Structures are given as structure tokens and as C-alpha cells.
Amino acid sequence: MKIGFIGLGIMGKPMAKNLIKAGYELVVLDLNKAAVDELTALGAQAGKSNVDIANQCDVIITMLPNSPHVKAVVFGEGGIIEGVKPGKILIDMSSIAPLASREIYEALAQKGVEMLDAPVSGGEPKAIDGTLSVMVGGKKEIFDKCYDIMKAMASSVVYIGEIGAGNIAKLCNQIVVAINIAAVSEALILAKKAGVSPDLVYQAIRGGLAGSTVMDAKAPMMMDRNFKPGFRIDLHIKDLNNVLETSHSVGAPLPLTAQLMEIMQAIKLDGCGVEDHASIVKFYEKLANAEVTR
């Protein structure tokens, strides 16, 4: 299959590189010309427009920031929907609102085009090494057809259910990640204020029940004061907004998630929106007038 890849940001660029490594023929598109040039140097072709990619590719992958961006690429002037033909497949790997996925799916279905919503988890490091987790919604037969493509970018590709189910799973993921980072932050700031080494506390508890992938990824970043974005606060705010909109629509109260949304909003107001979500620790540091370091 000839694959179009639209969106070469922090996540999309390494994902596209892994498809090239796996031997797929790729046509790429992004507003950032340097990112496109980097991929063409590895063997990809540069697409001229969204409709150009839709015209020439069997499968189109989108990896974009939020629902409006995906809708613009699909429905906007010169959009994917103008170039797709029956039998083609859109795999939207962005993290967007489930209702938006269903809206796009229904519009494409009228043209005989299939779609999967397949958001990812793992951040930039796992995008680079090809060990992302992908959660997928759509028709099972289309999932099976595209499984190898997604597996080239991930260590885990799981079918969840009908269209939109992938993004529901991603929203659940983002709840757990946000609250887990906050819990790690609270624990390390307690250690610091009590006069105990946060690093030694981390080493002591990481192998027990409190240990987690989130702790191992984010605690060292906090202590090293490394807030280079693997996943930006701004993007996590976007995801939690989708979480809360969805939870309100289905009647699922999420008090801890709502509190984390307000914590992230406060951090953003302090100028940290472009930093990694490990900077949640800065909220607690401000309250405690202390800094988590090794």
C-alpha cells in the first residue's frame, strides 16, 4: 500500500520514519518544510496538498493536534474528502473528540471510504523507538487490513470497538497519566519538605505497588529539571477538555480529572504550557515553596 502521512510534529515525524524503515512507500505533508525535507531525505515523497495525497495514496494517516485540525484537513478547501475514492482508508492517529471521529467517519462512509480512529500513547520517546501503544476503533476487518501498518509504529495495537472507541480509550489513558503524574509530584514534594532525598524515595518505591511507567518516565525528568516536551501541557489540557466534554455527555462525573484540569490551567498561566506534562510538579513546588531535585 502507498501511504500518505499528514502531520510531522513531535509524534508524527518519528512515526513516519518508522514506516519508512519498515519498507512502506510514503507521501508526506506538513506545514513545516524542514520536517518534510527530513523525511524526503529518507526516501519519502513530498505531497503537494491534502487532496493530492488523497488522490494517490491507498491509506492516509493523519497525526494532528486536535479535532478542528483533522476536520480542516478532511473537509477544508482542497481537503482529503475531495480526493478520496471508494476503498481508500483514513487512519486518524490524532487524539480528538470521539464525536468528531464519528462525524468524519459518517461523511467518508458516504463516499465509500473507510476510517479507523487510532490514537497513540507513549510520547516522543516511544514514537522514536516504535513502541507506542495504539488503541483502535472502526470495523474489525479494516483494523485487520491495517494492523501491520500500525504495528510498524507500535509495540501494542489493540482493537477496542466501533468508530470512536479508540479515542474513548485514549481519553481514559490521559486521565490515568495526568493523575499519576500529580501523585508522583505530591509524593516527591513531601519527601523534599520532610528532608528526605526525593531520588532515594523514588528508588525505594518504584519496584513496589506504587511503581509505574509514568513514575519511571516522569520522576527523573522532575528531579533533573528537564521539562523538554515529550507531551506538552497544552496538549494534555486539550485532551482533558475532550475528556470532560465526553464525561458530561455520558453522565460520568470525574472529580479528580476536573481538579487536574485546573492544575494544568494554573501551570499554563505560569508560562509552562509548552513544557512537558512533568511540569505538573511545579504546581506543588509553588504551593510548598520548594523544588524537587536529586
Side-chain angles (χ1 to χ4, degrees), residues 92 117-122 133-137 143 150 156-160 165-173:
D92 179 36
D117 67 304
V120 306
S121 178
S133 293
V134 186
M135 44 220 88
V136 189
F143 168 83
M150 294 181 285
S156 171
V157 180
V158 178
Y159 179 73
I160 309 294
N167 273 306
I168 291 290
K170 178 58 186 288
L171 296 184
C172 295
N173 179 86

PDB file of all heavy atoms in Angstrom, residues 92 117-122 133-137 143 150 156-160 165-173:
ATOM      1  N   ASP A  92      -6.922   7.941  11.362  1.00  0.00           N
ATOM      2  CA  ASP A  92      -6.642   9.152  12.125  1.00  0.00           C
ATOM      3  C   ASP A  92      -5.995   8.750  13.441  1.00  0.00           C
ATOM      4  O   ASP A  92      -6.643   8.175  14.314  1.00  0.00           O
ATOM      5  CB  ASP A  92      -7.918   9.953  12.376  1.00  0.00           C
ATOM      6  CG  ASP A  92      -7.633  11.204  13.193  1.00  0.00           C
ATOM      7  OD1 ASP A  92      -6.550  11.802  12.987  1.00  0.00           O
ATOM      8  OD2 ASP A  92      -8.459  11.551  14.051  1.00  0.00           O
ATOM      9  N   ASP A 117     -10.217   5.248  13.920  1.00  0.00           N
ATOM     10  CA  ASP A 117      -9.628   6.215  14.857  1.00  0.00           C
ATOM     11  C   ASP A 117      -8.643   5.424  15.700  1.00  0.00           C
ATOM     12  O   ASP A 117      -8.979   4.429  16.322  1.00  0.00           O
ATOM     13  CB  ASP A 117     -10.686   6.941  15.694  1.00  0.00           C
ATOM     14  CG  ASP A 117     -11.431   6.060  16.669  1.00  0.00           C
ATOM     15  OD1 ASP A 117     -12.017   5.053  16.233  1.00  0.00           O
ATOM     16  OD2 ASP A 117     -11.457   6.377  17.878  1.00  0.00           O
ATOM     17  N   ALA A 118      -7.383   5.865  15.667  1.00  0.00           N
ATOM     18  CA  ALA A 118      -6.294   5.070  16.233  1.00  0.00           C
ATOM     19  C   ALA A 118      -5.301   5.945  16.989  1.00  0.00           C
ATOM     20  O   ALA A 118      -4.129   6.029  16.617  1.00  0.00           O
ATOM     21  CB  ALA A 118      -5.586   4.294  15.128  1.00  0.00           C
ATOM     22  N   PRO A 119      -5.746   6.616  18.056  1.00  0.00           N
ATOM     23  CA  PRO A 119      -4.823   7.455  18.828  1.00  0.00           C
ATOM     24  C   PRO A 119      -3.729   6.626  19.489  1.00  0.00           C
ATOM     25  O   PRO A 119      -3.886   5.414  19.679  1.00  0.00           O
ATOM     26  CB  PRO A 119      -5.730   8.118  19.869  1.00  0.00           C
ATOM     27  CG  PRO A 119      -6.889   7.180  19.999  1.00  0.00           C
ATOM     28  CD  PRO A 119      -7.095   6.593  18.639  1.00  0.00           C
ATOM     29  N   VAL A 120      -2.651   7.300  19.851  1.00  0.00           N
ATOM     30  CA  VAL A 120      -1.481   6.609  20.395  1.00  0.00           C
ATOM     31  C   VAL A 120      -1.143   7.125  21.781  1.00  0.00           C
ATOM     32  O   VAL A 120      -1.523   8.223  22.174  1.00  0.00           O
ATOM     33  CB  VAL A 120      -0.262   6.770  19.467  1.00  0.00           C
ATOM     34  CG1 VAL A 120      -0.611   6.324  18.051  1.00  0.00           C
ATOM     35  CG2 VAL A 120       0.246   8.207  19.457  1.00  0.00           C
ATOM     36  N   SER A 121      -0.394   6.317  22.515  1.00  0.00           N
ATOM     37  CA  SER A 121       0.131   6.710  23.816  1.00  0.00           C
ATOM     38  C   SER A 121       1.589   6.292  23.897  1.00  0.00           C
ATOM     39  O   SER A 121       1.982   5.266  23.338  1.00  0.00           O
ATOM     40  CB  SER A 121      -0.673   6.047  24.943  1.00  0.00           C
ATOM     41  OG  SER A 121      -0.144   6.392  26.205  1.00  0.00           O
ATOM     42  N   GLY A 122       2.384   7.094  24.608  1.00  0.00           N
ATOM     43  CA  GLY A 122       3.791   6.758  24.785  1.00  0.00           C
ATOM     44  C   GLY A 122       4.715   7.951  24.662  1.00  0.00           C
ATOM     45  O   GLY A 122       5.870   7.894  25.086  1.00  0.00           O
ATOM     46  N   SER A 133       1.736   2.599  22.079  1.00  0.00           N
ATOM     47  CA  SER A 133       0.515   1.814  22.239  1.00  0.00           C
ATOM     48  C   SER A 133      -0.560   2.482  21.393  1.00  0.00           C
ATOM     49  O   SER A 133      -0.759   3.694  21.483  1.00  0.00           O
ATOM     50  CB  SER A 133       0.073   1.785  23.707  1.00  0.00           C
ATOM     51  OG  SER A 133       1.001   1.077  24.491  1.00  0.00           O
ATOM     52  N   VAL A 134      -1.231   1.691  20.561  1.00  0.00           N
ATOM     53  CA  VAL A 134      -2.274   2.221  19.687  1.00  0.00           C
ATOM     54  C   VAL A 134      -3.599   1.570  20.072  1.00  0.00           C
ATOM     55  O   VAL A 134      -3.684   0.351  20.223  1.00  0.00           O
ATOM     56  CB  VAL A 134      -1.965   1.926  18.195  1.00  0.00           C
ATOM     57  CG1 VAL A 134      -2.986   2.608  17.292  1.00  0.00           C
ATOM     58  CG2 VAL A 134      -0.559   2.371  17.832  1.00  0.00           C
ATOM     59  N   MET A 135      -4.619   2.403  20.236  1.00  0.00           N
ATOM     60  CA  MET A 135      -5.955   1.921  20.578  1.00  0.00           C
ATOM     61  C   MET A 135      -6.894   2.286  19.442  1.00  0.00           C
ATOM     62  O   MET A 135      -6.944   3.441  19.029  1.00  0.00           O
ATOM     63  CB  MET A 135      -6.401   2.492  21.911  1.00  0.00           C
ATOM     64  CG  MET A 135      -6.124   3.963  22.107  1.00  0.00           C
ATOM     65  SD  MET A 135      -5.549   4.439  23.754  1.00  0.00           S
ATOM     66  CE  MET A 135      -3.760   4.228  23.590  1.00  0.00           C
ATOM     67  N   VAL A 136      -7.612   1.302  18.906  1.00  0.00           N
ATOM     68  CA  VAL A 136      -8.231   1.481  17.595  1.00  0.00           C
ATOM     69  C   VAL A 136      -9.733   1.229  17.612  1.00  0.00           C
ATOM     70  O   VAL A 136     -10.213   0.245  18.168  1.00  0.00           O
ATOM     71  CB  VAL A 136      -7.582   0.535  16.557  1.00  0.00           C
ATOM     72  CG1 VAL A 136      -8.063   0.883  15.149  1.00  0.00           C
ATOM     73  CG2 VAL A 136      -6.060   0.602  16.633  1.00  0.00           C
ATOM     74  N   GLY A 137     -10.465   2.159  16.962  1.00  0.00           N
ATOM     75  CA  GLY A 137     -11.893   1.981  16.744  1.00  0.00           C
ATOM     76  C   GLY A 137     -12.195   1.939  15.260  1.00  0.00           C
ATOM     77  O   GLY A 137     -11.502   2.549  14.449  1.00  0.00           O
ATOM     78  N   PHE A 143      -9.486  -2.885  10.582  1.00  0.00           N
ATOM     79  CA  PHE A 143      -8.397  -2.990  11.566  1.00  0.00           C
ATOM     80  C   PHE A 143      -7.422  -4.091  11.152  1.00  0.00           C
ATOM     81  O   PHE A 143      -6.201  -3.886  11.150  1.00  0.00           O
ATOM     82  CB  PHE A 143      -8.977  -3.290  12.952  1.00  0.00           C
ATOM     83  CG  PHE A 143      -7.958  -3.691  13.967  1.00  0.00           C
ATOM     84  CD1 PHE A 143      -7.220  -2.745  14.664  1.00  0.00           C
ATOM     85  CD2 PHE A 143      -7.715  -5.041  14.248  1.00  0.00           C
ATOM     86  CE1 PHE A 143      -6.274  -3.121  15.603  1.00  0.00           C
ATOM     87  CE2 PHE A 143      -6.775  -5.427  15.190  1.00  0.00           C
ATOM     88  CZ  PHE A 143      -6.053  -4.460  15.869  1.00  0.00           C
ATOM     89  N   MET A 150       0.072  -0.193  11.388  1.00  0.00           N
ATOM     90  CA  MET A 150       0.125   0.388  12.731  1.00  0.00           C
ATOM     91  C   MET A 150       1.199  -0.279  13.576  1.00  0.00           C
ATOM     92  O   MET A 150       1.873   0.378  14.374  1.00  0.00           O
ATOM     93  CB  MET A 150      -1.254   0.291  13.388  1.00  0.00           C
ATOM     94  CG  MET A 150      -2.310   1.151  12.687  1.00  0.00           C
ATOM     95  SD  MET A 150      -3.951   1.093  13.463  1.00  0.00           S
ATOM     96  CE  MET A 150      -4.525  -0.535  12.940  1.00  0.00           C
ATOM     97  N   SER A 156       2.219  -2.242  20.763  1.00  0.00           N
ATOM     98  CA  SER A 156       0.879  -2.708  21.136  1.00  0.00           C
ATOM     99  C   SER A 156      -0.153  -2.027  20.257  1.00  0.00           C
ATOM    100  O   SER A 156      -0.211  -0.793  20.194  1.00  0.00           O
ATOM    101  CB  SER A 156       0.596  -2.392  22.609  1.00  0.00           C
ATOM    102  OG  SER A 156      -0.758  -2.636  22.934  1.00  0.00           O
ATOM    103  N   VAL A 157      -0.952  -2.827  19.561  1.00  0.00           N
ATOM    104  CA  VAL A 157      -2.046  -2.317  18.738  1.00  0.00           C
ATOM    105  C   VAL A 157      -3.298  -3.116  19.123  1.00  0.00           C
ATOM    106  O   VAL A 157      -3.380  -4.306  18.840  1.00  0.00           O
ATOM    107  CB  VAL A 157      -1.756  -2.459  17.228  1.00  0.00           C
ATOM    108  CG1 VAL A 157      -2.915  -1.907  16.397  1.00  0.00           C
ATOM    109  CG2 VAL A 157      -0.449  -1.767  16.855  1.00  0.00           C
ATOM    110  N   VAL A 158      -4.238  -2.452  19.770  1.00  0.00           N
ATOM    111  CA  VAL A 158      -5.394  -3.157  20.333  1.00  0.00           C
ATOM    112  C   VAL A 158      -6.692  -2.641  19.725  1.00  0.00           C
ATOM    113  O   VAL A 158      -6.938  -1.428  19.689  1.00  0.00           O
ATOM    114  CB  VAL A 158      -5.450  -2.996  21.869  1.00  0.00           C
ATOM    115  CG1 VAL A 158      -6.676  -3.694  22.449  1.00  0.00           C
ATOM    116  CG2 VAL A 158      -4.179  -3.548  22.507  1.00  0.00           C
ATOM    117  N   TYR A 159      -7.516  -3.567  19.253  1.00  0.00           N
ATOM    118  CA  TYR A 159      -8.837  -3.219  18.729  1.00  0.00           C
ATOM    119  C   TYR A 159      -9.799  -3.042  19.893  1.00  0.00           C
ATOM    120  O   TYR A 159      -9.957  -3.921  20.730  1.00  0.00           O
ATOM    121  CB  TYR A 159      -9.340  -4.304  17.781  1.00  0.00           C
ATOM    122  CG  TYR A 159     -10.709  -4.030  17.221  1.00  0.00           C
ATOM    123  CD1 TYR A 159     -10.889  -3.044  16.250  1.00  0.00           C
ATOM    124  CD2 TYR A 159     -11.817  -4.739  17.663  1.00  0.00           C
ATOM    125  CE1 TYR A 159     -12.148  -2.772  15.737  1.00  0.00           C
ATOM    126  CE2 TYR A 159     -13.081  -4.483  17.149  1.00  0.00           C
ATOM    127  CZ  TYR A 159     -13.244  -3.497  16.190  1.00  0.00           C
ATOM    128  OH  TYR A 159     -14.494  -3.225  15.691  1.00  0.00           O
ATOM    129  N   ILE A 160     -10.469  -1.871  19.936  1.00  0.00           N
ATOM    130  CA  ILE A 160     -11.352  -1.546  21.051  1.00  0.00           C
ATOM    131  C   ILE A 160     -12.821  -1.748  20.702  1.00  0.00           C
ATOM    132  O   ILE A 160     -13.600  -2.253  21.513  1.00  0.00           O
ATOM    133  CB  ILE A 160     -11.145  -0.084  21.516  1.00  0.00           C
ATOM    134  CG1 ILE A 160      -9.659   0.205  21.770  1.00  0.00           C
ATOM    135  CG2 ILE A 160     -11.975   0.219  22.753  1.00  0.00           C
ATOM    136  CD1 ILE A 160      -9.052  -0.549  22.911  1.00  0.00           C
ATOM    137  N   ALA A 165     -14.285   4.451  19.534  1.00  0.00           N
ATOM    138  CA  ALA A 165     -13.845   3.691  20.710  1.00  0.00           C
ATOM    139  C   ALA A 165     -12.358   3.879  20.978  1.00  0.00           C
ATOM    140  O   ALA A 165     -11.919   3.871  22.132  1.00  0.00           O
ATOM    141  CB  ALA A 165     -14.161   2.206  20.531  1.00  0.00           C
ATOM    142  N   GLY A 166     -11.581   4.046  19.912  1.00  0.00           N
ATOM    143  CA  GLY A 166     -10.149   4.290  20.091  1.00  0.00           C
ATOM    144  C   GLY A 166      -9.906   5.565  20.875  1.00  0.00           C
ATOM    145  O   GLY A 166      -9.083   5.597  21.804  1.00  0.00           O
ATOM    146  N   ASN A 167     -10.638   6.621  20.534  1.00  0.00           N
ATOM    147  CA  ASN A 167     -10.454   7.882  21.244  1.00  0.00           C
ATOM    148  C   ASN A 167     -11.038   7.855  22.652  1.00  0.00           C
ATOM    149  O   ASN A 167     -10.537   8.560  23.529  1.00  0.00           O
ATOM    150  CB  ASN A 167     -11.032   9.041  20.416  1.00  0.00           C
ATOM    151  CG  ASN A 167     -10.010   9.594  19.438  1.00  0.00           C
ATOM    152  OD1 ASN A 167      -8.915   9.969  19.821  1.00  0.00           O
ATOM    153  ND2 ASN A 167     -10.362   9.619  18.161  1.00  0.00           N
ATOM    154  N   ILE A 168     -12.061   7.047  22.887  1.00  0.00           N
ATOM    155  CA  ILE A 168     -12.533   6.858  24.261  1.00  0.00           C
ATOM    156  C   ILE A 168     -11.418   6.229  25.096  1.00  0.00           C
ATOM    157  O   ILE A 168     -11.134   6.663  26.222  1.00  0.00           O
ATOM    158  CB  ILE A 168     -13.789   5.971  24.311  1.00  0.00           C
ATOM    159  CG1 ILE A 168     -14.993   6.696  23.690  1.00  0.00           C
ATOM    160  CG2 ILE A 168     -14.100   5.542  25.744  1.00  0.00           C
ATOM    161  CD1 ILE A 168     -15.517   7.860  24.500  1.00  0.00           C
ATOM    162  N   ALA A 169     -10.766   5.209  24.549  1.00  0.00           N
ATOM    163  CA  ALA A 169      -9.662   4.560  25.267  1.00  0.00           C
ATOM    164  C   ALA A 169      -8.533   5.553  25.526  1.00  0.00           C
ATOM    165  O   ALA A 169      -7.923   5.565  26.604  1.00  0.00           O
ATOM    166  CB  ALA A 169      -9.149   3.356  24.473  1.00  0.00           C
ATOM    167  N   LYS A 170      -8.239   6.420  24.545  1.00  0.00           N
ATOM    168  CA  LYS A 170      -7.172   7.405  24.723  1.00  0.00           C
ATOM    169  C   LYS A 170      -7.537   8.406  25.819  1.00  0.00           C
ATOM    170  O   LYS A 170      -6.676   8.801  26.626  1.00  0.00           O
ATOM    171  CB  LYS A 170      -6.903   8.141  23.410  1.00  0.00           C
ATOM    172  CG  LYS A 170      -5.829   9.233  23.515  1.00  0.00           C
ATOM    173  CD  LYS A 170      -4.478   8.685  23.999  1.00  0.00           C
ATOM    174  CE  LYS A 170      -3.452   9.781  24.255  1.00  0.00           C
ATOM    175  NZ  LYS A 170      -2.926  10.402  23.040  1.00  0.00           N
ATOM    176  N   LEU A 171      -8.789   8.804  25.886  1.00  0.00           N
ATOM    177  CA  LEU A 171      -9.211   9.719  26.946  1.00  0.00           C
ATOM    178  C   LEU A 171      -9.036   9.057  28.312  1.00  0.00           C
ATOM    179  O   LEU A 171      -8.590   9.701  29.273  1.00  0.00           O
ATOM    180  CB  LEU A 171     -10.667  10.147  26.735  1.00  0.00           C
ATOM    181  CG  LEU A 171     -10.960  10.950  25.463  1.00  0.00           C
ATOM    182  CD1 LEU A 171     -12.420  11.391  25.437  1.00  0.00           C
ATOM    183  CD2 LEU A 171     -10.044  12.158  25.329  1.00  0.00           C
ATOM    184  N   CYS A 172      -9.378   7.784  28.408  1.00  0.00           N
ATOM    185  CA  CYS A 172      -9.157   7.039  29.660  1.00  0.00           C
ATOM    186  C   CYS A 172      -7.679   7.015  30.014  1.00  0.00           C
ATOM    187  O   CYS A 172      -7.286   7.194  31.173  1.00  0.00           O
ATOM    188  CB  CYS A 172      -9.699   5.619  29.528  1.00  0.00           C
ATOM    189  SG  CYS A 172     -11.493   5.504  29.317  1.00  0.00           S
ATOM    190  N   ASN A 173      -6.841   6.798  29.010  1.00  0.00           N
ATOM    191  CA  ASN A 173      -5.394   6.802  29.200  1.00  0.00           C
ATOM    192  C   ASN A 173      -4.916   8.137  29.757  1.00  0.00           C
ATOM    193  O   ASN A 173      -4.106   8.197  30.696  1.00  0.00           O
ATOM    194  CB  ASN A 173      -4.719   6.526  27.857  1.00  0.00           C
ATOM    195  CG  ASN A 173      -3.199   6.528  27.937  1.00  0.00           C
ATOM    196  OD1 ASN A 173      -2.584   5.514  28.246  1.00  0.00           O
ATOM    197  ND2 ASN A 173      -2.581   7.663  27.646  1.00  0.00           N
TER     198      ASN A 173
END
